Amino acid sequence: MIKYLKILLVFIVIIFISLIFFKKEVIFLYLKDDKYAFTDNKETTLNEVWVTGLNNELKENIIKAVKYNIGDYVNIINIKRIKERIDELNWIKSSKVIIYPHGIMEIIVEEYIPFAIYYDTEKYFLINKNGYKFIEIYKKQYQNFFEITGKDSLDAINNLKDLVYYIYSSNLNLDKATRIDSRRWDLYFKNDMHIKLPADNSLSVLKKFINFDYNNIEFKNINIIDLRIPDRMILKYK
């Protein structure tokens, strides 16, 4: 029994000494909800930089935002400013910058997730699901996303999201959504079909249309489907 107690005591002493050493080696700085680590060893230099979570932002832009070089002393590195510069990059929603002992810097980024292309009659932007325009793009870029146009269209993004998610779940290919008179949506599909939705209850109307039995209708010959009048469908053929 005494032998086991001695072993346990030695183990506790080793852990205690390790914690003291670690506390001397690393100082933790806090900024808002993010945690950063910084070494107080003036001889430690930057040896490696790791980047995690990068998918769309260019690695070169991250390197430029760091503004420090391998071999620089870590005690002169301002991690708060590095984070601020990285957060200013178009694709970056948020970031964390951590410097570990032995000169290893880790940059953890969270990027914006594109939802659609927004066109404001002059410029094209990628937007996230909340309608935030995070990067300007060219017209022909990112053709795998549908386009949003029309006055006050971003103000009605929550209503549009419900429509879009249901369209995707129904395996339909949406090409463009246009806000009409700041009241309702017109939907354009990649098969040239154009659906006019009502201002009210647009999701329930769309669901009813998609789930209806259309055995006797050849939709490949139809250009416009007008669902604005309750319980009525008006078809315009090509």
Side-chain angles (χ1 to χ4, degrees), residues 12-115:
I12 293 173
V13 170
I14 292 173
I15 292 177
F16 181 72
I17 294 173
S18 299
L19 287 174
I20 292 175
F21 175 79
F22 184 75
K23 187 175 181 181
K24 288 181 64 179
E25 178 69 14
V26 180
I27 301 172
F28 286 97
L29 306 176
Y30 292 86
L31 174 66
K32 296 184 178 179
D33 295 327
D34 295 325
K35 182 168 70 176
Y36 305 85
F38 200 85
T39 178
D40 65 349
N41 188 342
K42 294 182 180 180
E43 299 302 319
T44 302
T45 58
L46 184 63
N47 296 314
E48 295 182 46
V49 178
W50 303 340
V51 182
T52 308
L54 199 64
N55 294 301
N56 294 293
E57 187 61 67
L58 295 177
K59 184 178 179 180
E60 291 77 9
N61 291 338
I62 299 291
I63 293 173
K64 289 179 182 178
V66 172
K67 287 191 174 180
Y68 293 96
N69 300 311
I70 298 298
D72 287 346
Y73 290 112
V74 296
N75 65 318
I76 68 170
I77 295 176
N78 189 328
I79 52 181
K80 178 181 177 181
R81 285 292 298 124
I82 293 176
K83 172 181 165 55
E84 290 173 350
R85 289 192 292 267
I86 291 174
D87 287 347
E88 290 174 357
L89 298 175
N90 288 326
W91 280 93
I92 305 303
K93 182 178 180 181
S94 64
S95 68
K96 290 183 180 180
V97 182
I98 305 170
I99 298 183
Y100 299 108
H102 314 300
I104 298 174
M105 176 189 292
E106 183 176 16
I107 300 170
I108 305 170
V109 299
E110 179 185 1
E111 295 184 335
Y112 288 106
I113 299 175
F115 173 70

Side-chain angles (χ1 to χ4, degrees), residues 99-220:
I99 298 183
Y100 299 108
H102 314 300
I104 298 174
M105 176 189 292
E106 183 176 16
I107 300 170
I108 305 170
V109 299
E110 179 185 1
E111 295 184 335
Y112 288 106
I113 299 175
F115 173 70
I117 297 170
Y118 173 67
Y119 178 56
D120 66 358
T121 71
E122 293 183 359
K123 299 178 180 179
Y124 291 87
F125 300 89
L126 276 183
I127 63 172
N128 68 354
K129 64 180 182 180
N130 297 319
Y132 176 70
K133 298 180 287 186
F134 61 89
I135 185 171
E136 184 178 346
I137 62 173
Y138 298 109
K139 181 178 180 180
K140 297 298 183 181
Q141 282 184 292
Y142 302 100
Q143 294 293 298
N144 51 322
F145 294 101
F146 75 97
E147 182 181 314
I148 299 175
T149 62
K151 183 180 178 182
D152 300 325
S153 55
L154 294 186
D155 294 335
I157 194 74
N158 287 331
N159 170 253
L160 179 61
K161 279 191 295 187
D162 294 336
L163 297 170
V164 170
Y165 292 150
Y166 189 76
I167 288 170
Y168 287 164
S169 69
S170 302
N171 297 318
L172 297 174
N173 294 317
L174 183 64
D175 187 47
K176 183 169 68 173
T178 302
R179 191 70 174 167
I180 306 297
D181 299 326
S182 302
R183 296 179 60 252
R184 63 174 195 83
W185 293 101
D186 272 13
L187 304 178
Y188 298 82
F189 294 83
K190 293 187 182 297
N191 61 356
D192 294 328
M193 188 168 61
H194 172 192
I195 296 179
K196 297 184 177 184
L197 292 175
D200 299 320
N201 302 315
S202 56
L203 180 58
S204 61
V205 170
L206 181 64
K207 285 182 177 180
K208 186 176 181 180
F209 165 74
I210 290 177
N211 293 307
F212 193 76
D213 184 5
Y214 298 102
N215 287 332
N216 297 323
I217 299 177
E218 288 288 341
F219 280 98
K220 64 181 181 180

